[in-house]
Amino acid sequence: MSVTLTSSDSKSFTVNRKAISHSGTIENLIMSMGLEDDEVPMPIPLPNVSGAVLQNVISWLDRHKDDAPYIEKDDKAEKRTDDVPQWDQDFLAKFETSDVLGILLAANYLDIEALLEYCIKTTSNMIKDKSHLQYRERFHS
């Protein structure tokens, strides 16, 4: 089964149903329509996500379609930024800063917890141990 998603710039993407299950937003929408086990009959519009960003998010979802649901770490545990899996580090490293931030915003909007967490940690690592001038150069270019 598959789901068709339409971006803010009217680009349509067909996504494996198993892959899209990592999106809490899409899953809740499908469940509220009573279509948990059925083919979703119409495209789902995503007015807050551009086609370029959605394509990158879908690539990530396809790679993680067989992963177990993401379980957030204990709030009392030490916050770390060095525990992003290698594939995800490599995936996010190939993008410009603005693209990572776009993926982060899309992951937040679509409630894709693992991708959101990895984007936040990647962004944090971009500014770790940087001067304010280096920070400004990286994010205000």
Side-chain angles (χ1 to χ4, degrees):
M1 286 193 281
S2 61
V3 176
T4 301
L5 305 176
T6 304
S7 65
S8 61
D9 48 355
S10 301
K11 293 181 181 172
S12 292
F13 300 89
T14 301
V15 186
N16 178 294
R17 181 75 174 82
K18 191 172 183 182
I20 206 67
S21 68
H22 288 284
S23 169
T25 301
I26 303 293
E27 277 299 298
N28 288 338
L29 177 64
I30 291 170
M31 287 175 47
S32 70
M33 294 169 62
L35 300 171
E36 294 91 3
D37 298 323
D38 299 327
E39 190 76 23
V40 178
M42 66 200 88
I44 297 174
L46 299 174
N48 295 341
V49 184
S50 72
V53 170
L54 185 56
Q55 185 172 8
N56 294 328
V57 170
I58 290 169
S59 294
W60 187 91
L61 287 170
D62 283 339
R63 170 66 168 85
H64 291 280
K65 70 178 177 265
D66 295 321
D67 292 1
Y70 182 74
I71 299 172
E72 194 170 338
K73 306 271 193 287
D74 182 14
D75 281 341
K76 294 179 179 116
E78 179 184 349
K79 302 291 184 193
R80 298 179 51 187
T81 61
D82 61 349
D83 59 346
V84 176
Q86 188 62 51
W87 187 92
D88 298 292
Q89 287 179 37
D90 296 341
F91 176 76
L92 293 169
K94 67 184 178 184
F95 298 111
E96 296 291 326
T97 303
S98 60
D99 296 327
V100 173
L101 294 175
I103 294 168
L104 183 151
L105 292 172
N108 185 50
Y109 174 67
L110 295 171
D111 191 21
I112 305 171
E113 292 180 21
L115 180 57
L116 178 62
E117 184 79 14
Y118 300 154
C119 285
I120 290 169
K121 289 179 179 191
T122 298
T123 305
S124 176
N125 287 332
M126 288 176 183
I127 62 173
K128 187 187 292 185
D129 301 323
K130 303 284 191 268
S131 71
H132 71 283
L133 295 175
Q134 290 170 314
Y135 172 80
R136 181 176 294 172
E137 183 179 300
R138 180 131 178 114
F139 288 95
H140 296 291
S141 54

